[in-house]
Amino acid sequence: MEQRDYFNGIYIAEDSDGIVYRWLIHRGGLSLLPESDYGTELIDLLDLNIKKFRLAIYEIKKLCKFDVMKGDIIGVDDVNAVLTKSQELARNISNSREVTGELLLAAIANASAITDDHTAMYFLNIMRGAVEALEELPYIVKKIYGLMYDCVEFDDPKEWYEQEIMIEKELFRRRYRSEFINHIGRQQFTKYMQVYFFDNCADYYSYMLIKFASLHKQVRQCRCCGKLFIPINKKNTMYCSRVFNEKGQTCKEIGPKIMSKEKNKSDPMLEEYERVKNKNYKRYDRQNYRSDKFKDRVNEKELSFDEYQEWQQEASAARAEYLNGTLSAEEFGKVINKLG
């Protein structure tokens, strides 16, 4: 098994404007990452295809099906197979999202650094720890998506911070490791500065969320692609800057044309879209936040986070294509009602 690389992870420092400076520690080496900000880190995380990631974790879990109480024997090769697959998955993420991938690798390394108690459970615990390290990513994506989506519903993001974020005990109970230093590796600073160190996704992105929310910035849902984004100014921007179609046009470029068509058109398909959108959100909401008010609907099929997010983005994009005249009413209807 690969030995633990101590202190693998991400150091960050911040300024008063929310700019984040980041240093990557890997195998004892230090590299300076591009500057970022809280909102960019969060939105980039939410654009990750979690459904594919979950499927990959499921395949790794199959390698962990041992029952030591029944005499199943686990060898070094079994453990290495799980660690290798876990690291491969993390490195694949790192190809497009370096910070996320490196945090996963650090968490996997931590999972394999437990003390050998010379029992069969030692190997099993390493494998389970690697899987749990991976599972933290879809967990925190789901958590942050729900809270960021809630911000869309608030006219004043300060109210969102006070009413939604400040009551999230899990976020504030996490221990975000902080220290004052005047150097990182060989990089010297002119004065001591406060830095934070992270070696897992849950802590890193929870911290990003707390800091972002404290800035009282607005979150929007793009009327074209359906994804969340953060406006660069306080204007009532309804479209993001993501590329929307094969022509390379962005949501911001084609959005106003679509909005104009929508305002001048009373269309039953658009009414159906709004009805199903509200219905599916309630189904997702029940699955995640079940309460007594939903007791009379427990027999209605609920939606997982993956199902809801995938449908919501696909249906929003189909709505834009329908209004743009590139998707028929029949095809639009199939997308809207694909979840039943």
Side-chain angles (χ1 to χ4, degrees), residues 295-330:
K295 281 184 176 179
D296 60 333
R297 304 183 194 175
V298 293
N299 292 325
E300 186 174 348
K301 185 180 182 298
E302 297 168 350
L303 296 180
S304 68
F305 169 73
D306 293 349
E307 290 173 323
Y308 171 73
Q309 186 184 39
E310 184 178 40
W311 175 87
Q312 185 261 331
Q313 293 178 0
E314 185 178 352
S316 294
R319 169 184 162 278
E321 292 178 358
Y322 172 68
L323 285 168
N324 205 33
T326 56
L327 192 70
S328 69
E330 182 180 2

Side-chain angles (χ1 to χ4, degrees), residues 29-300:
L30 174 73
S31 58
L32 178 63
L33 299 175
E35 296 176 7
S36 188
D37 59 77
Y38 310 125
T40 298
E41 292 297 279
L42 294 171
I43 294 300
D44 186 58
L45 174 73
L46 298 182
D47 281 349
L48 187 64
N49 189 324
I50 288 300
K51 185 175 182 179
K52 289 184 178 179
F53 188 78
R54 285 189 198 274
L55 292 174
I57 294 177
Y58 177 75
E59 293 301 316
I60 295 174
K61 275 187 170 181
K62 290 181 179 179
L63 303 175
C64 302
K65 290 186 176 180
F66 294 91
D67 190 339
V68 296
M69 302 305 293
K70 292 183 178 180
D72 289 350
I73 299 175
I74 308 173
V76 173
D77 289 343
D78 298 313
V79 183
N80 281 334
V82 171
L83 291 179
T84 298
K85 290 291 184 181
S86 299
Q87 291 162 350
E88 286 177 356
L89 180 55
R91 291 190 182 102
N92 287 337
I93 296 293
S94 187
N95 290 334
S96 59
R97 291 169 174 80
E98 185 174 20
V99 169
T100 307
E102 290 296 336
L103 288 170
L104 286 172
L105 286 170
I108 294 167
N110 288 339
S112 63
I114 60 176
T115 303
D116 187 353
D117 62 0
H118 304 289
T119 70
M121 290 303 297
Y122 168 65
F123 287 146
L124 188 59
N125 287 335
I126 289 178
M127 292 190 290
R128 288 175 175 173
V131 171
E132 288 172 2
L134 294 173
E135 287 181 325
E136 276 202 325
L137 180 57
Y139 162 77
I140 201 62
V141 170
K142 175 181 175 181
K143 182 78 174 180
I144 289 177
Y145 181 86
L147 290 170
M148 295 281 278
Y149 188 87
D150 287 344
C151 185
V152 177
E153 306 299 318
F154 281 83
D155 293 328
D156 183 356
K158 183 179 180 181
E159 293 182 6
W160 169 66
Y161 174 63
E162 294 173 347
Q163 298 178 27
E164 299 287 335
I165 303 301
M166 291 296 291
I167 65 172
E168 278 289 333
K169 295 180 180 179
E170 178 192 349
L171 299 180
F172 292 95
R173 283 177 178 168
R174 290 183 177 273
R175 293 186 176 182
Y176 304 110
R177 288 173 282 182
S178 172
E179 57 183 306
F180 284 88
I181 60 176
N182 66 350
H183 71 281
I184 295 180
R186 295 181 178 179
Q187 181 168 349
Q188 296 288 330
F189 305 117
T190 57
K191 60 181 180 180
Y192 276 88
M193 62 189 301
Q194 185 177 20
V195 297
Y196 288 86
F197 177 75
F198 299 93
D199 58 7
N200 65 82
C201 289
D203 285 351
Y204 180 79
Y205 289 109
S206 293
Y207 182 80
M208 291 291 125
L209 178 62
I210 291 175
K211 300 294 284 189
F212 169 77
S214 68
L215 296 177
H216 305 153
K217 290 189 176 182
Q218 186 65 60
V219 179
R220 300 287 185 196
Q221 183 179 17
C222 181
R223 295 295 297 272
C224 265
C225 67
K227 296 181 179 180
L228 299 180
F229 72 102
I230 299 164
I232 59 175
N233 52 48
K234 293 185 178 180
K235 293 182 179 179
N236 191 25
T237 306
M238 303 306 296
Y239 307 98
C240 70
S241 299
R242 296 179 179 91
V243 175
F244 179 75
N245 56 27
E246 295 179 353
K247 297 179 180 179
Q249 293 175 303
T250 66
C251 295
K252 188 179 293 185
E253 290 174 331
I254 67 173
K257 298 178 183 178
I258 293 174
M259 179 66 78
S260 177
K261 291 181 180 180
E262 185 176 13
K263 286 182 178 178
N264 299 322
K265 193 174 185 180
S266 176
D267 191 320
M269 292 304 300
L270 298 179
E271 295 175 1
E272 175 72 358
Y273 166 78
E274 292 296 332
R275 183 189 69 79
V276 176
K277 182 178 73 171
N278 293 332
K279 172 186 172 184
N280 283 344
Y281 180 76
K282 290 177 181 177
R283 291 166 65 187
Y284 156 70
D285 195 47
R286 285 198 300 277
Q287 196 270 348
N288 291 279
Y289 310 104
R290 182 182 295 279
S291 63
D292 291 340
K293 67 180 180 179
F294 295 131
K295 281 184 176 179
D296 60 333
R297 304 183 194 175
V298 293
N299 292 325
E300 186 174 348

Side-chain angles (χ1 to χ4, degrees), residues 2-9 11 23-31 102 109 184-187 197:
E2 184 178 349
Q3 294 298 309
R4 176 184 178 184
D5 297 319
Y6 285 94
F7 303 114
N8 282 353
Y11 275 110
W23 295 266
L24 168 64
I25 308 293
H26 183 75
R27 294 182 179 276
L30 174 73
S31 58
E102 290 296 336
I184 295 180
R186 295 181 178 179
Q187 181 168 349
F197 177 75

